[in-house]
Amino acid sequence: MAYCQSIGVEFMFINDLEQCQWIRQKFERPGVMQFTLEEKRTLLTRMVRSTKFEEFLQRKWSSEKRFGLEGCESLIPALKTIIDKSSMNGVESIIMGMPHRGRLNVLANVIRKELDQIFCQFDSKLEAADEGSGDVKYHLGMWHRRINRVTDRNITLSLMANPSHLEAVDPVVQGKTKAEQFYCGDTEGKRVMSILLHGDAAFAGQGVVYETFHLSDLPSYTTHGTVHVVVNNQIGFTTDPRVARSSSYPTDVAKVVNAPIFHVNADDPEAVMYVCNVAAEWRATFHKDVVVDLVCYRRNGHNEMDEPMFTQPLMYKQIKKQKGVLQKYSEKLLAEGAVSRQDYEEEIAKYDKICEEAHARSKDKKILHIKHWLDSPWPGFFNVDGQPKTMTSLSTGLPEEELVHIGYIASSVPVEDFTIHRGLSRILKGRTAMVGQRVCDWALGEYMAFGSLLKEGTHIRLSGQDVERGTFSHRHHVLHDQKIDRRICIPMNHISPNQAPYTVCNSSLSEYGVLGFELGFAMASPNALVLWEAQFGDFHNTAQCIIDQFICPGQAKWVRQNGIVLLLPHGMEGMGPEHSSARPERFLQMCNEDPDTYPIFSAEEFAVRQLYDCNWIIVNCSTPANYFHVLRRQILQPFRKPLIVFTPKSLLRHPEAKSSFDDMLPGTHFQRLIPDSGPVCEKPEGVKRIVFCTGKVYYELTRERNNRGNDDTVAITRIEQLSPFPFDQVKVETDRYPNADLVWCQEEHKNQGYYDYVKPRLRTTVDRTRPVWYAGRGPAAAPATGNKAAHLVELQRFLDTAFNLDAFTEQS
């Protein structure tokens, strides 16, 4: 218990004696809470602005939802105190995340968003600019660089946009914070930090909170301490911190994550100010997480349209009797003589005038610009109007000498007296042999893409479970000395003297938190290739919130481009319902492309315009060379889009899944579609069927065709890029074989995979003049059978359908 009655402290679960003694010194000495007259007046001014902002919104838009801060108005001076103290300690940039309650107030009085731009959001007649679909005002973010008035130093504040999903933004904030620390060389978190705001129930109930906390001590994920501020409504109208400690969810969380928790009565602004000063100082001293628990109540319901008396009548009768915190604090200062009534009333009048003038200006705004709410700008990457500087992508091919150089680095141990595992020696010798034969497998193709981008100055970050070695023991980007514990070598960082750094890091056993973290990392700069690899493709479903709420619609909602790459191992290998499907149907369903309209672009611009207009890119490459090209294209194109890659498992070591260096030289590029180049090209009019497919099933189809001798009657065409769909190249293929029927073949079940996405697009391509038939597994609830024999029977059944030229005769 602290000396002040408004403060409660819990830290006995911390086993570091120095830290415990530090906390005792801050809270258990009499007279620690001493404030100057100037500090008290500043605090009053901040309380006036926090309170009167909400009152102004309520007065002007009483029937609008705004998720106001009533009941915890001291949050605003709390945040400003943390920022002031952190600025004094040398912090130059703060990234913040919060739920919707109080967001508009934070934007106005902490970030200092222009009030007229906030007020115009309430105008139902405001037209939307052609920048995307937008989002509600209490989800939007903002970036602002300004002078901190207390320290007279520059400070950059970024409040991240987020969805209604409480706490989902937490790892995103941490990832962006880590990226900014990385790019400015801040290895101890002294210049860049994060603040996360929480509701009490969400703080305890949402698992992503724990996932985010558990990243804090991992070397490649730590942000060196975050100040967590909990707006705690758990105790209703009671503001006794002793009650808060006995019933507060945040206490349980803090114990789990080993962070001190400072409870403070939110009705005592001076106690709040002191605690927030201590929290910022703790973070600067120990570079550890800390929790500030603002014990308050919610004067309104969930939002302004909600009636809390429906369910909590007795509590809200008591709440209505409570004086507001501004009234209490102003009465205290007036009694002390710290401020005169005239000064107090003038301060209120001054802010009311500011709001009224901003309100008048807001009426002049006719168009809502989402870009005015951008939380992660990329200076210099786009033109002034936010458009790409060019619509031309650089070549993704490489000179052979560069491929050879990177290939030999991938085959070597560029550190002296380093003993590798003998099994790894065989792998490296195999890579050397491939370089000599001018071919590469999947792992070597990835190595060449990464190595070349690093050499060109692009930072690469690869994260996920077991990514250093690779889930299937194919990558081995981190070598471990077999004789010296924890001695490692990363050959990728030995490609060139002036190369960019390569970060490869095994994550915690988390998808939701880690994918959110990597998304945030990718937000900080367009000049980095950030990849998250799922251990198996279906594991992405525990990170579905990040995919659905941030990655897929992020640009449409928040005008925020992002080039994150998801690597999702996928393929039916007879290994059971788990670890088989990366659920491509889910990603394809969320594509923003119209399946019934053939795009109208010039031939020269068709591919790049499609990429620019899509919400994300989805590929399933069948060759290492195409995988190499799509990774390089991700950085070399003049804009950023998320890239979803369904990566192989058995193809990693398939003898036919190798690419010649010829497919990676200058002049080569990513192939959106790979046409059949075999005997069918000699007499295309004699071809009876085109089998379209994607990914691994191509190799099973070609093997079956060879066994049946259908090389001149059945063409097999690979669609490598599913989104955006290569309408133009598919049309070339369907026109080439005018007498062929069209079949889509997939190894996935009919209600899964690609069929429902591809069929209408194929029909659009041929102007609905030919049907599209299906060869694949039938509908099923599970992604794959758990029986190996059944798997093989299913495989042979759909291969029979694909090559039986009479299979669809009766259906015609």
Side-chain angles (χ1 to χ4, degrees), residues 793-809:
V793 169
E794 292 171 352
L795 171 62
Q796 190 57 52
R797 185 181 296 133
F798 78 71
L799 290 176
D800 289 343
T801 302
F803 290 101
N804 179 0
L805 298 179
D806 298 321
F808 308 109
T809 302

Side-chain angles (χ1 to χ4, degrees), residues 82 257 268 313 519 615 626 635 650 654 718 757:
I82 295 169
V257 299
D268 186 342
L519 177 73
N615 61 317
N626 232 18
I635 284 294
S650 61
H654 196 293
R718 288 169 274 177
Y757 172 88

Side-chain angles (χ1 to χ4, degrees), residues 464-530:
Q465 298 158 24
D466 248 352
V467 295
E468 296 178 4
R469 183 198 68 179
T471 296
F472 310 102
S473 198
H474 68 288
R475 182 174 285 126
H476 299 290
H477 284 187
V478 179
L479 310 180
H480 294 260
D481 196 310
Q482 299 297 297
K483 295 182 178 179
I484 303 175
D485 189 31
R486 298 189 180 183
R487 187 186 183 211
I488 64 170
C489 170
I490 303 177
M492 197 84 77
N493 280 323
H494 295 262
I495 288 176
S496 174
N498 299 316
Q499 70 172 80
Y502 177 49
T503 305
V504 54
C505 42
N506 291 338
S507 72
S508 62
L509 198 65
S510 155
E511 289 82 31
Y512 189 168
V514 173
L515 179 56
F517 188 98
E518 301 309 332
L519 177 73
F521 200 104
M523 285 179 189
S525 172
N527 301 314
L529 183 65
V530 180

Side-chain angles (χ1 to χ4, degrees), residues 102-337:
R103 173 175 285 263
L104 296 180
N105 206 323
V106 170
L107 284 164
N109 289 311
V110 178
I111 309 295
R112 295 190 200 158
K113 175 76 176 173
E114 294 90 339
L115 291 178
D116 54 321
Q117 290 191 12
I118 295 176
F119 295 159
C120 75
Q121 291 279 328
F122 290 89
D123 185 354
S124 60
K125 298 179 181 178
L126 204 64
E127 296 180 16
D130 187 20
E131 299 168 341
S133 54
D135 202 349
V136 291
K137 49 189 167 290
Y138 40 82
H139 287 173
L140 300 175
M142 175 65 184
W143 177 95
H144 190 201
R145 183 169 178 79
R146 61 173 176 81
I147 295 290
N148 181 278
R149 292 169 182 165
V150 172
T151 62
D152 200 32
R153 295 177 179 175
N154 278 322
I155 188 86
T156 299
L157 301 176
S158 177
L159 177 63
M160 305 299 289
N162 64 274
S164 288
H165 297 61
L166 299 175
E167 308 295 343
V169 79
D170 294 0
V172 182
V173 167
Q174 299 298 68
K176 188 183 178 196
T177 303
K178 182 65 177 180
E180 289 200 8
Q181 290 173 348
F182 177 84
Y183 293 126
C184 73
D186 182 15
T187 58
E188 296 180 342
K190 293 182 177 180
R191 297 170 58 190
V192 182
M193 67 172 284
S194 57
I195 300 174
L196 287 175
L197 282 71
H198 315 268
D200 56 281
F203 189 61
Q206 295 289 307
V208 71
V209 174
Y210 297 84
E211 291 188 36
T212 304
F213 264 108
H214 290 160
L215 294 174
S216 62
D217 284 332
L218 294 178
S220 295
Y221 301 87
T222 181
T223 57
H224 309 284
T226 296
V227 180
H228 296 263
V229 180
V230 180
V231 177
N232 186 356
N233 304 310
Q234 181 63 20
I235 45 73
F237 64 88
T238 304
T239 51
D240 184 341
R242 292 171 294 182
V243 178
R245 288 199 307 282
S246 65
S247 64
S248 174
Y249 293 160
T251 297
D252 301 326
V253 181
K255 288 179 179 178
V256 171
V257 299
N258 204 34
I261 180 165
F262 305 152
H263 306 282
V264 58
N265 184 342
D267 263 11
D268 186 342
E270 290 183 5
V272 170
M273 182 177 178
Y274 180 76
V275 163
C276 289
N277 262 313
V278 174
E281 191 175 346
W282 163 275
R283 192 261 171 197
T285 303
F286 297 107
H287 304 290
K288 294 283 188 180
D289 293 319
V290 60
V291 179
V292 175
D293 180 27
L294 293 180
V295 183
C296 59
Y297 57 90
R298 187 159 58 190
R299 190 168 288 276
N300 298 315
H302 175 65
N303 60 63
E304 290 70 29
M305 301 295 99
D306 183 34
E307 176 50 79
M309 294 283 285
F310 288 155
T311 55
Q312 302 287 341
L314 298 182
M315 177 187 293
Y316 272 86
K317 283 180 182 178
Q318 293 296 322
I319 287 177
K320 286 181 179 180
K321 297 176 183 178
Q322 298 291 309
K323 287 184 179 180
V325 62
L326 174 60
Q327 182 181 350
K328 291 180 182 178
Y329 189 54
S330 62
E331 289 175 355
K332 176 179 182 293
L333 294 191
L334 287 168
E336 293 176 358

